[in-house]
Amino acid sequence: MAVRQRQHEQDPMIRRTNFDAVESNLTDEQAKLEAARCLNCKNPRCVQGCPVNINIPAFIHEVKEGNIEKAGEVIRESSLLPSVCGRVCPQERQCEGKCVLGIKSEPIAIGALERYVGDSTSLKVGEIKETGKKVAIIGSGCAGITAAADLRRAGHEVVVFEALHKLGGVLRYGIPPFRLPRKFLDKEIENLKSMGVKFVTNVVVGKSITVKQLKEDGFDAIVIGSGAGLPKMMGIPGENLNGVYSANEFLTRVNLMQANLEETATPIRVGEKVAVIGGGNVAMDAARVAVRVGFKKVYIVYRRTEAELPARLEEIRHAKEEGVVFQFLHAPKEIYNKDGYVAGMQFEIMELGEPDESGRRKPIPTGKTIDLDVDTVVVALGTGPNPTIQASMLRDDMNLTTDKKGYIVIEAETGKTSVDCIYAGGDVAPTGSSTAINAMGAGKRAAAAINAMLAQN
Ligand code: FAD
Ligand code: SF4
């Protein structure tokens, strides 16, 4: 059995000083060799493992035959952003985790092949027949831009309203460029613009304009894809000190506002030692950005063990290689204060008990504490939905149903909310784990439901 092909990676000691892509793409020869390993299974388990059921054996077959354009068409039937998903999906838990080759050897490098195809092909759009209908999309993240593509292809006028000055949501302000080089995101957004999708930036729906006004302006349907950008904090003493950041703020300052550059209007205070609290992809990104902006010691502090870390395996490996130090079984207790600034942090040592409702073993406090010498703390403990849109709809007596955490309640198959002609999807209305591909799947489902609705009107 041929061995799995690997992408070339920048040396960790060099890449920890730059924001360039960690991995280069498979070469043409490698892609063909990798594609030739696929067994083209009759019952392809990889397809079941993919949240949007990309026809994986079919696109891999096209790569093997050298038909890269055709491979791109096969993938884009199910996923608008192969360059993104090939880089950020947790393949080891999805498609690759199901590949039969993984039982005795290594699974096909489905993610690497997907990005290889995505990077060298573009969305093809035939003639668009205008319907005269108008759809507004709130938010330009994965959910919003996927819905925009499918709605525009069906011939509707599509306007995307985005609160920030740049487009792409988390793909722009959260995931760092060394994981997702911006040229691939820019390419997809340019494609949408050339199809006629209109983008309006610097508009906070719920403040600059309301959903009710959008309806009054004649939009026949609205998709809310406003994400979940409201950080969860720890609720411990010292959390308001200078030097404490939410991961969202920390990453946004660097990714969107270039806080890493010397001349910048939005700097971050680069200290000596930083504790990043959390164990997901966001924590890995914050830690690896902290390495690159010049912190000398970067800790990831997590209250369970390595086995329970929710981040992608590759990100954990990359973080370790880049010198990030992991402290497991530590729960934050207090941040010490010196003249209003972070002056160290106290943690309680935990041990693992029985599995909790998430299936992971629950951390149990031992009563013992330990101090960590840090001058900066980045909190990456998850986020919730920003309440702006929901609150403004409530003020306008639009009966939008939300759950007790403020997420919008939707019909999973269609994205329909409790308000007529208003749909939602992605992190603001999660129907599974909050991942890029799930947000895209939700955008696709909402678009399909709106296309069906508008076809009847
Ligand atoms: P978002 O991408 O958050 O987009 C929402 C957009 O709506 C934003 O642009 C926001 O500015 C805009 N908006 C919000 N409110 C308003 C308003 N009132 N008016 C107008 N616009 C508004 N997933 C993976 O699969 N793999 C990973 O490796 C991974 N890593 C991640 C790393 C980080 C740092 C983060 C933060 C997330 C990561 N995720 C990862 C999760 C994944 O990126 C998200 O689940 C997905 O991008 C959500 O897409 P979305 O469209 O729902 O929301
Ligand atoms: Fe190919 Fe693996 Fe999918 Fe089978 S399960 S079709 S070998 S990628």
Side-chain angles (χ1 to χ4, degrees):
M1 165 65 58
V3 291
R4 177 170 159 131
Q5 298 296 307
R6 308 219 174 264
Q7 295 131 309
H8 175 261
E9 289 183 0
Q10 270 198 77
D11 181 277
M13 287 307 111
I14 295 173
R15 70 176 192 244
R16 72 198 296 286
T17 63
N18 67 51
F19 282 80
D20 298 340
V22 167
E23 293 161 333
S24 52
N25 231 333
L26 293 174
T27 62
D28 295 344
E29 192 192 357
Q30 280 183 308
K32 277 196 171 175
L33 284 171
E34 188 58 23
R37 292 176 65 225
C38 179
L39 305 175
N40 206 357
C41 305
K42 269 216 176 90
N43 175 22
R45 295 171 12 143
C46 50
V47 179
Q48 297 151 27
C50 168
V52 296
N53 306 121
I54 293 175
N55 191 342
I56 293 166
F59 101 72
I60 291 182
H61 174 76
E62 298 299 345
V63 175
K64 192 171 89 181
E65 298 297 314
N67 302 327
I68 309 305
E69 285 297 330
K70 182 79 188 116
E73 283 166 30
V74 173
I75 299 177
R76 285 190 176 84
E77 280 165 18
S78 317
S79 163
L80 179 73
L81 306 172
S83 294
V84 173
C85 295
R87 287 177 168 83
V88 308
C89 276
Q91 284 102 8
E92 71 268 15
R93 277 183 238 138
Q94 299 180 348
C95 52
E96 291 185 22
K98 298 264 176 166
C99 172
V100 289
L101 290 179
I103 300 169
K104 288 205 171 146
S105 147
E106 285 191 286
I108 300 286
I110 300 170
L113 286 171
E114 190 182 347
R115 61 184 262 192
Y116 167 81
V117 173
D119 290 2
S120 40
T121 57
S122 293
L123 177 69
K124 300 268 176 309
V125 186
E127 197 198 338
I128 294 178
K129 266 209 191 133
E130 302 295 337
T131 62
K133 310 272 184 199
K134 270 172 49 162
V135 184
I137 308 228
I138 306 171
S140 64
C142 291
I145 55 180
T146 304
D150 284 0
L151 288 161
R152 182 66 198 128
R153 278 196 274 198
H156 312 309
E157 181 183 341
V158 176
V159 186
V160 180
F161 295 90
E162 168 55 50
L164 295 172
H165 60 292
K166 288 207 172 162
L167 301 167
V170 163
L171 305 180
R172 175 85 56 189
Y173 74 75
I175 299 180
F178 53 82
R179 266 214 301 140
L180 177 61
R182 296 303 184 252
K183 61 180 178 185
F184 300 115
L185 179 58
D186 293 341
K187 181 179 97 175
E188 300 300 348
I189 288 172
E190 283 312 311
N191 270 339
L192 293 186
K193 286 184 181 165
S194 63
M195 284 164 67
V197 174
K198 296 179 189 139
F199 290 94
V200 191
T201 51
N202 296 314
V203 177
V204 181
V205 177
K207 290 221 186 288
S208 334
I209 188 169
T210 63
V211 172
K212 191 168 173 222
Q213 284 168 331
L214 289 175
K215 274 195 113 178
E216 287 163 0
D217 282 353
F219 284 101
D220 298 286
I222 297 172
V223 181
I224 306 175
S226 51
L230 192 69
K232 289 186 189 144
M233 298 304 276
M234 299 175 286
I236 60 168
E239 206 162 43
N240 293 325
L241 290 169
N242 287 306
V244 181
Y245 296 91
S246 71
N248 258 27
E249 179 187 351
F250 186 77
L251 289 168
T252 303
R253 278 179 184 251
V254 178
N255 292 335
L256 197 67
M257 322 293 260
Q258 272 73 53
N260 52 314
L261 304 180
E262 292 209 341
E263 296 289 318
T264 175
T266 55
I268 40 172
R269 214 176 114 254
V270 177
E272 294 274 314
K273 298 175 189 168
V274 54
V276 177
I277 316 296
N281 289 321
V282 182
M284 299 305 141
D285 284 343
R288 297 174 67 202
V289 162
V291 166
R292 284 163 173 77
V293 297
F295 282 90
K296 298 207 169 49
K297 187 110 198 181
V298 178
Y299 297 101
I300 284 201
V301 190
Y302 182 56
R303 63 196 187 124
R304 293 178 158 105
T305 69
E306 179 157 5
E308 290 82 30
L309 278 174
R312 296 177 72 224
L313 290 182
E314 189 173 67
E315 309 316 325
I316 300 169
R317 171 172 69 81
H318 283 158
K320 285 185 182 170
E321 289 170 356
E322 290 164 12
V324 174
V325 177
F326 286 72
Q327 300 280 1
F328 294 113
L329 292 169
H330 283 35
K333 220 167 149 43
E334 182 176 352
I335 304 172
Y336 299 128
N337 176 357
K338 183 156 188 282
D339 305 328
Y341 286 84
V342 174
M345 199 165 168
Q346 186 186 61
F347 294 89
E348 180 159 9
I349 307 283
M350 312 299 272
E351 59 187 21
L352 287 188
E354 293 302 310
D356 61 15
E357 61 286 354
S358 72
R360 293 174 304 168
R361 290 179 66 194
K362 197 173 166 176
I364 314 247
T366 62
K368 288 182 221 141
T369 61
I370 187 170
D371 285 353
L372 211 55
D373 174 23
V374 290
D375 52 28
T376 308
V377 177
V378 178
V379 185
L381 292 178
T383 51
N386 187 309
T388 310
I389 295 171
Q390 295 86 320
S392 94
M393 288 179 72
L394 198 68
R395 282 195 298 276
D396 285 336
D397 291 328
M398 300 177 89
N399 289 325
L400 181 75
T401 305
T402 53
D403 69 9
K404 52 182 191 293
K405 291 183 177 163
Y407 291 104
I408 299 175
V409 176
I410 56 166
E411 209 177 83
E413 289 310 311
T414 60
K416 246 164 130 2
T417 70
S418 55
V419 185
D420 259 1
C421 303
I422 299 195
Y423 294 72
D427 285 6
V428 73
T431 48
S433 53
S434 293
T435 56
I437 190 71
N438 280 339
M440 270 179 235
K444 250 188 148 6
R445 287 191 293 277
I450 293 172
N451 286 337
M453 174 186 77
L454 294 181
Q456 284 169 10
N457 289 349

